[in-house]
């Protein structure tokens, strides 16, 4: 059975074999542990992003990392919100398929939730993903100088015990001061900007002084909005 909500929310229910009693016991167990201030439940983060790992660790969750083997370039949508949701769902589906193997079931039998996410940058109405080369990264960053851009980040939570899946996206607008060419060249030489959407790392010490205003949260720009993660986990119980 599959159900969906209108954007920006997403909801789907995947068939599962647990009895209603098992589901009740799972929720009851979770409530008891939270009431007793026990450590949060175990998660699987479906991302290799260092920033997302740090954010999730800062939230106090215990988690393991699994990478989705998908060709992101094969998934195309006109709207950035639709694109990040489609990519997060594809990543979630790929990892769930991995977990169906016997070895992975044993490895992650304690995990309750899978978190998949995606982020793109939107500049003058054009979607920007990871730059393909140094020159494209340089062009991206030069474009931000004295102007503004937006990030659109999605979060997709799958309850691995019940099959319930919830997703939503978040948009943040970022305004920049003029960024000196020498700063841009240092960023390019370092190379980290080549590994992120839109070559944009607003928390980077080199770029931080040139951030004029952020309308939204930094963790969303970094790829994993904390408030949205908490909200969707609660909705997926």
């Amino acid at each position: 059975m599959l159900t969906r909500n209108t954007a920006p929310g997403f909801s789907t229910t995947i068939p599962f074999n647990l009895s209603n009693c098992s589901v009740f016991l799972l929720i009851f167990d979770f409530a008891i542990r939270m009431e007793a201030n026990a450590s949060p439940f175990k998660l699987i983060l479906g991302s290799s992003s260092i920033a997302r790992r740090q954010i999730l660790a800062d939230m106090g969750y215990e988690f393991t990392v699994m990478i989705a083997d998908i060709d992101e370039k094969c998934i195309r949508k006109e709207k950035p919100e639709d694109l990040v949701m489609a990519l997060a769902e594809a990543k979630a589906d790929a990892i769930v398929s991995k977990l169906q193997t016997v070895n992975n079931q044993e490895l992650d039998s304690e995990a309750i939730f899978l978190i998949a996410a995606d982020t793109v940058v939107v500049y003058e109405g054009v979607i920007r993903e990871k730059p393909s080369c140094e020159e494209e990264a340089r062009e991206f960053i030069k474009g931000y100088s004295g102007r503004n851009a937006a990030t659109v980040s999605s979060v997709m939570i799958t309850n691995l015990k019940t099959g319930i899946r919830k997703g939503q996206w978040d948009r943040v607008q970022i305004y920049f001061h003029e960024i000196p060419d020498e700063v841009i060249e240092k960023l390019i030489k370092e190379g980290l900007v080549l590994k992120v959407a839109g070559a944009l790392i607003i928390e980077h010490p080199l770029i931080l002084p040139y951030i004029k205003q952020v309308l939204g949260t930094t963790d969303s720009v970094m790829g994993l909005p904390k408030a949205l993660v908490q909200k969707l986990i609660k909705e997926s119980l």
Side-chain angles (χ1 to χ4, degrees), residues 55-67:
I55 291 169
L56 203 55
D58 289 345
M59 294 174 73
Y61 288 114
E62 177 188 355
F63 64 95
T64 56
V65 174
M66 291 187 69
I67 309 302

Side-chain angles (χ1 to χ4, degrees), residues 68-201:
D69 299 321
I70 66 169
D71 185 355
E72 296 187 20
K73 297 297 183 183
C74 290
I75 301 174
R76 300 292 87 186
K77 301 288 182 180
E78 290 186 6
K79 295 182 179 180
E81 296 85 358
D82 293 340
L83 178 60
V84 294
M85 291 296 288
L87 286 169
E89 185 176 12
K91 292 175 183 178
D93 287 342
I95 293 173
V96 168
S97 294
K98 279 187 178 183
L99 290 170
Q100 290 175 348
T101 66
V102 175
N103 289 339
N104 279 327
Q105 283 180 344
E106 294 174 352
L107 180 65
D108 294 285
S109 60
E110 296 179 0
I112 295 180
F113 293 106
L114 163 65
I115 300 178
D118 195 77
T119 300
V120 297
V121 173
V122 182
Y123 176 74
E124 295 186 342
V126 178
I127 296 173
R128 289 180 168 180
E129 297 178 84
K130 294 178 184 177
S132 58
C133 60
E134 291 186 357
E135 185 54 41
E136 187 171 45
R138 184 178 292 107
E139 177 187 344
F140 283 178
I141 302 173
K142 280 182 177 288
Y144 305 140
S145 183
R147 300 182 183 180
N148 67 87
T151 58
V152 180
S153 296
S154 63
V155 176
M156 190 74 66
I157 304 289
T158 303
N159 186 320
L160 297 172
K161 303 301 183 182
T162 66
I164 293 174
R165 179 177 288 177
K166 300 285 184 177
Q168 198 170 325
W169 53 265
D170 183 64
R171 186 183 181 105
V172 177
Q173 199 73 27
I174 308 148
Y175 294 84
F176 300 85
H177 295 293
E178 295 289 337
I179 305 172
D181 288 344
E182 56 268 28
V183 170
I184 296 174
E185 292 308 315
K186 287 180 180 179
L187 288 167
I188 299 299
K189 184 176 181 180
E190 182 189 59
L192 290 178
V193 293
L194 298 171
K195 302 176 182 179
V196 297
L200 181 58
I201 310 178

